[in-house]
Amino acid sequence: MKTRVISGIIFGALALVLIIAGGYVLKSTILVFSAIGLYEFYKSFKEKGHNPMRSLGLMYLLFPIATFLPKMFEVAPMSVKFADGSCPVDFFTFLQILIFIGLAISIVLKYPKFNVIDAAITLFGGFYIVVGFSYFIFLEEMSKGVFLVLLALLGCIASDTFALFAGKFFGKKKLCPALSPKKTVAGSIGGFAGSTVILMIYGAVIYFGGFYTAIPLYHYAILGIIIGGLTQVGDLFASAVKRYSGIKDFGNLIPGHGGILDRCDGYLIVIPFVYYYLNIFVF
């Protein structure tokens, strides 16, 4: 517990510095995290005897790499345009088609060593991890995006933290023992409550302090509830992958937490959701 808390604080402080720095610093970090996350994900399925095509999966990294080219990448994610501003194309769909063609060719040439299940794992891993991480960039590039990224991260961290302590002190009834025997109903309720309360406090501070007033306060409560749930879904989904693969953690990069995916599993669902929620219901 002590190691987990200390490393969590260090990781959180580092994340805060990177978010404030933004720009190419954040983009470079997301690119590195995406690459590590892909490696961890594919490695977990290798442990189960599957054979994801890592070389094709790495092509997904072209998605965050494209954000380094401001003349090419539009404000709206998943679409790009040429340097002269003409001929907009859906870069993400184009990339998906290229990867799919590569996987189809690989199945034909390497079957049964490489099969449709391996192809599905390759596609899913790239979308789940690289696209999920890329939304850090899209959210940060919105107007005063640092406040929006902090909103999403605070919600996730609060959900994790309150769920941990509520489960430790009040947890008896198991929440989902087939996936995570340590998680309890009390912990889950604590996660919802913690995320909601912390985001309402955060929203009030930046709103009444005049730092950021673009989001009406009631949205912080709504987002707190939803983020509290999605963080737990992301955590349990990652647990399902690890259960299937027969591993305890995706890696050992972060003491007390495991790998990048062990620490960021909730973020990969929450960050894209927050981006679209804000663009659809607020802005």
Side-chain angles (χ1 to χ4, degrees), residues 37-274:
L38 265 183
Y39 170 79
E40 292 177 348
F41 186 83
Y42 290 150
K43 182 175 181 292
S44 71
F45 281 94
K46 291 280 286 187
E47 296 287 334
K48 190 67 176 179
H50 295 292
N51 188 31
M53 186 67 70
R54 292 178 177 176
S55 58
L56 288 173
L58 288 173
M59 285 183 64
Y60 275 98
L61 295 178
L62 292 173
F63 189 47
I65 287 174
T67 66
F68 284 83
L69 307 173
K71 290 184 178 180
M72 178 183 179
F73 205 83
E74 290 183 333
V75 175
M78 298 194 187
S79 62
V80 296
K81 60 183 177 182
F82 296 124
D84 63 0
S86 65
C87 301
V89 294
D90 187 337
F91 177 68
F92 182 71
T93 300
F94 174 66
L95 183 61
Q96 284 276 75
I97 292 298
L98 285 182
I99 295 172
F100 175 79
I101 292 172
L103 291 171
I105 294 172
S106 297
I107 291 175
V108 171
L109 296 178
K110 296 187 177 184
Y111 187 85
K113 183 179 178 180
F114 183 77
N115 56 53
V116 68
I117 302 300
D118 300 320
I121 293 170
T122 304
L123 285 171
F124 183 81
F127 185 87
Y128 165 53
I129 295 160
V130 182
V131 176
F133 271 126
S134 294
Y135 274 88
F136 274 94
I137 299 172
F138 306 142
L139 197 58
E140 190 270 339
E141 288 187 340
M142 292 173 66
S143 178
K144 294 189 177 181
V146 62
F147 292 106
L148 308 180
V149 178
L150 286 176
L151 183 160
L153 289 184
L154 280 174
C156 288
I157 293 170
S159 179
D160 279 338
T161 303
F162 279 73
L164 178 66
F165 285 101
K168 180 178 177 62
F169 293 108
F170 306 107
K172 291 183 179 180
K173 185 177 180 180
K174 301 298 182 183
L175 176 67
C176 195
L179 293 179
S180 184
K182 291 184 178 181
K183 286 184 169 47
T184 64
V185 173
S188 179
I189 295 172
F192 278 103
S195 178
T196 304
V197 170
I198 293 300
L199 284 191
M200 289 176 68
I201 293 173
Y202 171 72
V205 170
I206 63 174
Y207 187 90
F208 292 112
F211 301 106
Y212 188 76
T213 59
I215 302 177
L217 288 178
Y218 67 88
H219 283 292
Y220 291 96
I222 297 172
L223 283 168
I225 295 170
I226 298 174
I227 290 173
L230 289 180
T231 301
Q232 296 178 57
V233 170
D235 189 16
L236 288 170
F237 170 77
S239 294
V241 173
K242 289 184 284 187
R243 283 279 179 178
Y244 176 78
S245 301
I247 60 175
K248 183 178 183 296
D249 295 311
F250 284 108
N252 55 11
L253 189 63
I254 307 172
H257 292 269
I260 289 294
L261 292 185
D262 295 292
R263 180 75 282 259
C264 300
D265 48 17
Y267 303 162
L268 297 178
I269 294 179
V270 168
I271 294 292
F273 172 82
V274 171

